[in-house]
Amino acid sequence: GDKMKKTISFIIAFGILSLFASCKESLNTSTSESESTSVIPPESSSIIGSSNNSSNSKNAIVVYFSATNNTKNVALNISSYLNLPIYELEPVNPYTSSDLNYSNQNSRVVKEHNDSNRHVELQTVSFEGYDEADYVFLGAPVWWQELSWVVDDFLKLNDFTGKTIVPFATSSSSGFSTRRHEALAFGATWMQGQRFSSRATSSQIETWIDGLNLNIK
């Protein structure tokens, strides 16, 4: 009787241990598969501000400043459609929502607009692929009927000899002029600027790009 009970207890215990080990192995396998299938390799051409896109050598790059992400969305569309490296112009002192309050005469943008000596320092104006680029897509929001002055240093501190700037901008309704900026970019050839609304679609952006007839390779 006692011997039989011990044998049965041993069999039950062994069965439970075997079942636990089997479940643990199954769980580990499932977790590993889940992790491996969730890893998506990054596309170097769409990593904003990355210096790791030398493998995607192109004769064009996308450079932009975006205050409220509208210009960023257009820039990302251009980069994706043409498979181009993309870089963001980032102010050392970023703009807050209150800074962008155009109706407040004491806001940062209004004060900067009224200051002929305004200067917005950028974290960097040097980007990989710039030297090889024949075309520079340059985007910014429209501020007072021109590209935001945040792009000024990028234009002043780079040599654009032999390069063509393709300007684009976003605004709710206002068009823009590039006249002031054309004087800042040494050696640059400027194409006609294109304004997009904050609700610009990919198809609208792609149609504009196709109409430019650029020799991007």
Side-chain angles (χ1 to χ4, degrees):
D2 290 342
K3 186 175 182 181
M4 178 65 70
K5 288 180 181 179
K6 289 181 179 179
T7 300
I8 293 174
S9 297
F10 174 79
I11 292 172
I12 292 174
F14 179 80
I16 291 174
L17 287 173
S18 297
L19 180 62
F20 175 77
S22 175
C23 290
K24 183 177 180 181
E25 180 180 354
S26 175
L27 180 61
N28 288 339
T29 302
S30 174
T31 303
S32 176
E33 288 174 353
S34 173
E35 289 174 349
S36 65
T37 55
S38 67
V39 175
I40 302 173
E43 295 181 16
S44 60
S45 63
S46 60
I47 299 176
I48 300 172
S50 170
S51 60
N52 186 30
N53 45 32
S54 56
S55 60
N56 183 31
S57 181
K58 288 280 197 175
N59 69 333
I61 61 174
V62 181
V63 178
Y64 75 94
F65 162 68
S66 188
T68 58
N69 288 331
N70 293 328
T71 306
K72 177 180 180 178
N73 291 334
V74 176
L76 287 171
N77 268 277
I78 297 170
S79 170
S80 176
Y81 187 54
L82 295 175
N83 191 28
L84 300 180
I86 180 171
Y87 301 100
E88 181 177 8
L89 296 172
E90 301 178 274
V92 171
N93 181 19
Y95 288 82
T96 66
S97 56
S98 59
D99 287 340
L100 299 169
N101 185 354
Y102 309 102
S103 61
N104 181 355
Q105 294 303 303
N106 291 315
S107 70
R108 177 179 173 182
V109 286
V110 173
K111 287 181 177 179
E112 287 178 347
H113 172 253
N114 294 332
D115 181 5
S116 59
N117 295 315
R118 63 176 173 258
H119 175 248
V120 178
E121 184 181 359
L122 299 172
Q123 292 187 20
T124 182
V125 296
S126 300
F127 302 112
E128 185 175 345
Y130 174 83
D131 290 341
E132 295 76 25
D134 297 319
Y135 301 99
V136 178
F137 285 85
L138 177 63
V142 176
W143 288 0
W144 281 270
Q145 287 73 55
E146 68 171 18
L147 292 174
S148 164
W149 48 81
V150 173
V151 306
D152 286 10
D153 265 13
F154 174 69
L155 295 173
K156 289 190 293 186
L157 300 177
N158 283 292
D159 184 352
F160 287 85
T161 301
K163 301 184 188 300
T164 296
I165 295 177
V166 187
F168 63 95
T170 56
S171 73
S172 57
S173 60
S174 300
F176 69 100
S177 167
T178 58
R179 186 177 301 115
R180 185 180 70 83
H181 286 108
E182 288 174 19
L184 301 179
F186 178 80
T189 297
W190 287 74
M191 296 191 69
Q192 182 175 347
Q194 176 66 35
R195 184 194 74 84
F196 293 98
S197 74
S198 58
R199 297 179 298 278
T201 64
S202 296
S203 61
Q204 289 173 330
I205 297 167
E206 292 169 8
T207 298
W208 165 66
I209 294 172
D210 289 343
L212 296 174
N213 295 316
L214 302 179
N215 183 27
I216 293 179
K217 53 192 177 181

